[in-house]
């Protein structure tokens, strides 16, 4: 418990000190569950979102993007089931009136997993273990349900009729816009609709820095197919089928087993992952994290237990990351069936079906997989995974594609015209990459400052530059240096950042 708190505190302190993330409204004492992104954080977050959008929308022909409003017609959330079902279990102290999320309280005090337990089960555990208020030792109420949606009023009159909700997930607005996208894009099943945007949840106990907050961003895709094509996924190649990952199925959890490494093929053949489409999208999302540098051994996929499934889900697999505070969900992947479109068709009275040209009839598109993740949780994963303490330095080993600054430019000394050459190079590089210019302090200190914020490459202009128009390029992770001609600098850096060339493969080592 203490170790967990200290690691997360260290990361939060680091983020604040370096300008990645600030507690929101800190001058007013902070605002629990809200964080603001500083100059470096906003770049890292943008790079995460851009990478996702490029890979899953722009580089595909079968996924279309939207960007919908965050305050929506109240019927959207009635139809989706969120008004009735989007709740967490809550207990209140009868003495000091402090409120706790019941499953978290049980987990914290007894160290057992309580997510997804029924209310009666939680009441029983609280009674049997005489759990009391951690603050004042007062008696707790029975477990109640608490709806997580933020309410607001739309228009100048505040009454029941003007109540609206801030969206708790981006997904519903994908369903609400399904007809518009279908008609304008001329999409044919199978296809997906993607969205990146803000979501709001009035979490009972925000915790673990960016992990559980009240305002966050999501990156979501709803992938629609014809129901009969549930196992007909044209993208599932042998390479994907042979890909191995850590798998924790429902059955393994029920038997008390830990995750096992297996190939996607094995998981499908043994009926662990039920559909080929679900397997394909699990692979795509796990691979995205790995390609951006996350340690594969710290990732696993875990199937939801029956009691844990959301009201709309037939089957759900989470991608989990091994945080300093345990394995936790970073990405959800539900099979949502035809539930949402059917509900919106019922509540709106509009026909949301798809005309199947082969069958010459209207069918209800089937959401075989909903890749859904929080940007802020991904941010935390990339940050924790990259945060490395070495003997003499802290180094943030971020994938260059994610790094806030791709390059930093230093004159060895601020005289003899080296600073002027350095400024010119910085101006040239800024047109291609985020670049930082620094002439203050010793060169060692300047390298250390960039290592800490994850800048993968540092360029130093020295006296040799004046003789042969070359500069040194230093690699953040190995501290190795090579000499590169100024004329080649943009191309060399681009291939390093894109991962086309490894630093070790460059010539002219120093
Ligand atoms: N549309 C499905 C959906 O919203 P979810 O499992 O509730 O499913 C998806 O949320 C993802 O959103 C999670 O895996 C997590 O990354 C992120 N997320 C959810 N609640 C969050 C919170 N309070 N703070 C930060 N991220 C959150």
């Amino acid at each position: 418990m203490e170790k967990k708190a200290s690691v997360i505190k260290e990361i939060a302190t680091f983020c604040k000190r370096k300008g990645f993330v600030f507690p929101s409204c800190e001058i007013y004492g902070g605002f629990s569950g809200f964080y603001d992104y500083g100059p470096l954080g906003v770049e890292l977050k943008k790079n995460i979102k851009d990478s996702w959008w490029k890979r899953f929308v722009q580089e595909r022909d079968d996924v279309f993007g939207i960007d919908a409003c965050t305050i929506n017609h109240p019927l959207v959330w009635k139809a989706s089931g969120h008004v009735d079902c989007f709740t967490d279990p809550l207990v209140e102290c009868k003495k000091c009136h402090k409120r706790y999320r019941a499953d978290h309280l049980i987990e914290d005090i007894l160290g057992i997993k309580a997510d997804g337990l029924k209310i009666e089960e939680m009441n029983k555990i609280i009674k049997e273990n005489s759990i009391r208020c951690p603050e004042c030792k007062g008696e707790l109420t029975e477990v109640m349900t608490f709806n997580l949606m933020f309410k607001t009023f739309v228009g100048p009159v505040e009454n029941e009729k003007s109540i609206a909700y801030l969206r708790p997930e981006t997904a519903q607005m994908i369903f609400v816009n399904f007809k518009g996208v279908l008609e304008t894009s001329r999409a044919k099943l199978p296809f997906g609709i993607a969205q990146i945007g803000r979501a709001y949840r009035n979490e009972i106990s925000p915790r673990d820095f960016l992990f559980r907050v009240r305002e966050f961003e999501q990156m979501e895709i709803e992938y629609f197919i014809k129901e009969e094509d549930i196992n007909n996924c044209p993208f599932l190649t042998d390479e994907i089928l042979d890909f191995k990952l850590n798998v924790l199925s429902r059955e393994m959890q029920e038997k008390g087993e830990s995750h096992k490494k297996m190939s996607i093929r094995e998981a499908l053949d043994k009926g662990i992952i039920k559909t080929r489409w679900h397997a394909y999208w699990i692979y795509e999302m796990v691979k995205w994290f790995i390609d951006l540098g996350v340690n594969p051994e710290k990732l696993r996929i875990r199937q939801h237990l029956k009691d844990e499934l959301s009201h709309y889900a037939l089957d759900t697999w989470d991608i989990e990351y091994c945080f300093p505070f345990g394995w936790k969900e970073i990405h959800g992947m539900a099979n949502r069936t035809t539930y949402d479109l059917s509900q919106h068709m019922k509540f709106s009275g509009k026909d949301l079906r798809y005309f199947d040209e082969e069958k010459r009839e209207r069918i209800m598109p089937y959401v075989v997989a909903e890749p859904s993740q929080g940007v802020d949780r991904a941010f935390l994963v990339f940050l924790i995974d990259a945060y490395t303490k070495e003997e003499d330095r802290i180094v943030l080993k971020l994938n260059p594609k994610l790094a806030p600054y791709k390059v930093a430019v230093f004159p060895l000394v601020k005289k003899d015209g080296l600073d002027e050459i350095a400024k010119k190079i910085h101006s040239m590089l800024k047109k291609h990459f985020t670049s930082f210019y620094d002439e203050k302090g010793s060169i060692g200190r300047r390298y250390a400052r960039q290592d800490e914020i994850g800048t993968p490459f540092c360029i130093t202009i020295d006296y040799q530059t004046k003789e042969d128009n070359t500069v040194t390029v230093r690699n953040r992770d190995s501290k190795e240096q090579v000499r590169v001609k100024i004329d080649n600098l943009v191309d060399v850096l681009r291939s390093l950042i894109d991962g086309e060339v490894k630093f070790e493969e460059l010539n002219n080592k120093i």
Side-chain angles (χ1 to χ4, degrees):
M1 242 338 232
E2 252 166 47
K3 190 162 174 262
K4 156 194 158 168
S6 72
V7 175
I8 277 295
K9 211 168 153 196
E10 181 177 336
I11 294 287
T13 308
F14 168 81
C15 281
K16 187 173 147 185
R17 182 166 59 81
K18 288 287 155 192
F20 279 94
V21 182
F22 305 124
S24 192
C25 305
E26 210 183 8
I27 60 167
Y28 290 100
F31 201 36
S32 176
F34 295 88
Y35 286 93
D36 296 334
Y37 287 79
L40 295 181
V42 76
E43 293 294 336
L44 172 53
K45 196 178 182 201
K46 183 174 179 306
N47 293 339
I48 294 171
K49 290 189 283 183
D50 287 352
S51 158
W52 189 92
W53 193 259
K54 183 167 180 291
R55 183 149 165 171
F56 298 116
V57 182
Q58 293 173 337
E59 288 180 4
R60 297 186 65 112
D61 295 322
D62 61 338
V63 179
F64 303 88
I66 63 161
D67 182 13
C69 290
T70 59
I71 299 176
N72 316 120
H73 194 294
L75 273 182
V76 170
W77 303 106
K78 188 76 193 150
S80 70
H82 283 76
V83 170
D84 299 320
C85 304
F86 196 57
T87 56
D88 270 342
L90 172 107
V91 280
E92 186 176 321
C93 171
K94 290 183 183 170
K95 199 164 136 203
C96 71
H97 300 289
K98 196 159 175 198
R99 293 178 153 201
Y100 302 93
R101 198 172 135 172
D103 52 343
H104 286 176
L105 190 65
I106 293 171
E107 281 177 14
D108 288 350
I109 291 180
L110 301 180
I112 57 168
K113 202 170 158 1
D115 190 15
L117 287 181
K118 293 201 180 80
I119 289 202
E120 312 84 71
E121 289 168 329
M122 280 185 261
N123 275 328
K124 194 162 168 258
I125 293 175
I126 289 173
K127 256 193 206 105
E128 280 177 4
N129 293 280
S130 310
I131 296 178
R132 297 181 80 90
C133 171
E135 289 283 312
C136 73
K137 303 284 170 257
E139 197 189 331
L140 299 171
T141 60
E142 296 273 300
V143 179
M144 309 170 257
T145 52
F146 175 77
N147 194 296
L148 298 187
M149 283 197 294
F150 279 105
K151 272 185 198 158
T152 188
F153 298 99
V154 173
V157 183
E158 294 191 4
N159 61 22
E160 276 296 309
K161 282 191 187 151
S162 64
I163 288 178
Y165 300 97
L166 275 70
R167 66 181 182 194
E169 61 169 16
T170 61
Q172 288 310 316
M173 292 308 285
I174 292 180
F175 298 117
V176 169
N177 282 291
F178 176 81
K179 197 172 153 63
V181 174
L182 183 66
E183 286 169 2
T184 53
S185 65
R186 292 157 54 219
K188 297 267 177 283
L189 290 178
F191 72 90
I193 303 179
Q195 178 168 210
I196 299 181
R198 287 193 182 255
Y200 305 83
R201 296 183 188 180
N202 195 6
E203 296 285 352
I204 298 168
S205 47
R207 49 160 63 188
D208 298 325
F209 187 35
L210 297 173
F211 183 80
R212 191 175 302 284
V213 286
R214 288 177 167 141
E215 176 174 346
F216 54 99
E217 281 186 85
Q218 287 186 314
M219 307 191 278
E220 297 197 295
I221 301 174
E222 300 302 329
Y223 202 83
F224 302 94
I225 63 163
K226 294 182 194 176
E227 190 169 350
E228 72 255 30
D229 286 338
I230 203 139
N231 274 314
N232 181 12
C233 173
F235 304 123
L236 208 52
T237 58
D238 277 340
E239 195 188 328
I240 299 178
L241 287 166
D242 290 336
F243 178 81
K244 287 193 170 157
L245 73 176
N246 296 317
V247 177
L248 183 61
S249 68
R250 185 179 298 150
E251 203 183 320
M252 285 151 84
Q253 291 168 76
E254 284 162 357
K255 287 187 187 157
E257 297 171 357
S258 48
H259 62 251
K260 285 196 192 96
K261 178 144 285 181
M262 65 176 80
S263 66
I264 298 260
R265 192 190 302 277
E266 191 183 342
L268 278 167
D269 287 350
K270 289 187 173 159
I272 294 174
I273 301 177
K274 296 281 180 297
T275 80
R276 290 170 78 83
W277 273 109
H278 216 149
Y280 166 71
W281 278 109
I282 288 171
Y283 162 84
E284 281 293 339
M285 293 297 156
V286 169
K287 193 70 177 25
W288 178 76
F289 279 105
I290 294 173
D291 287 351
L292 287 174
V294 174
N295 178 354
E297 288 318 310
K298 289 196 160 191
L299 293 170
R300 73 177 183 191
I301 58 165
R302 185 184 72 80
Q303 190 175 25
H304 276 206
L305 298 170
K306 276 254 149 50
D307 287 346
E308 215 182 323
L309 286 170
S310 302
H311 59 275
Y312 50 74
L314 181 68
D315 187 18
T316 297
W317 284 87
D318 285 344
I319 301 173
E320 297 188 333
Y321 178 77
C322 185
F323 285 98
F325 46 93
W327 287 98
K328 298 279 171 191
E329 173 195 347
I330 56 172
H331 187 297
M333 177 93 64
N335 175 338
R336 289 183 87 126
T337 69
T338 54
Y339 175 83
D340 301 89
L341 281 183
S342 306
Q343 284 293 102
H344 287 299
M345 185 158 150
K346 191 163 118 196
F347 277 73
S348 69
K350 300 285 179 311
D351 190 352
L352 301 181
R353 288 172 302 169
Y354 170 91
F355 185 71
D356 184 336
E357 278 161 12
E358 282 160 24
K359 289 190 188 153
R360 310 298 302 163
E361 66 182 22
R362 292 194 159 276
I363 59 161
M364 194 50 90
Y366 185 95
V367 174
V368 69
E370 181 205 42
S372 162
Q373 65 169 306
V375 180
D376 310 68
R377 269 190 207 178
F379 183 101
L380 193 59
V381 167
F382 289 121
L383 204 79
I384 290 180
D385 214 67
Y387 186 81
T388 315
K389 278 180 174 167
E390 291 181 357
E391 247 171 60
D392 55 342
R393 61 176 185 162
I394 287 175
V395 52
L396 206 55
K397 295 189 175 175
L398 286 171
N399 181 297
K401 289 187 184 129
L402 296 183
Y405 287 112
K406 307 294 181 224
V407 58
V409 182
F410 316 142
L412 182 65
V413 287
K414 205 182 132 190
K415 59 181 186 182
D416 301 331
L418 298 188
D419 46 344
E420 278 151 33
I421 303 173
K423 278 178 192 159
K424 268 195 200 146
I425 291 177
H426 169 58
S427 296
M428 169 185 84
L429 293 179
K430 265 194 300 187
K431 296 199 178 88
H432 303 273
F433 323 102
T434 44
S435 173
F436 187 84
Y437 177 78
D438 192 2
E439 56 183 26
K440 297 213 175 65
S442 72
I443 201 79
R445 192 64 217 114
R446 281 181 265 167
Y447 283 144
R449 280 201 290 262
Q450 294 306 317
D451 292 346
E452 238 187 324
I453 62 170
T455 309
F457 307 109
C458 289
I459 313 292
T460 300
I461 287 77
D462 55 17
Y463 288 101
Q464 193 179 327
T465 310
K466 290 174 96 172
E467 286 164 23
D468 63 5
N469 279 324
T470 63
V471 294
T472 65
V473 179
R474 175 187 176 269
N475 181 18
R476 173 197 66 200
D477 298 347
S478 64
K479 301 185 196 171
E480 270 190 322
Q481 297 189 29
V482 291
R483 283 207 89 86
V484 174
K485 277 197 177 317
I486 296 173
D487 284 350
N488 297 340
L489 202 50
V490 170
D491 287 344
V492 169
L493 286 170
R494 179 166 295 126
S495 41
L496 284 170
I497 293 162
D498 289 347
E500 284 159 14
V501 173
K502 290 205 174 86
F503 197 87
E504 311 82 83
E505 292 163 5
L506 295 179
N507 294 321
N508 304 322
K509 298 249 164 50
I510 298 170

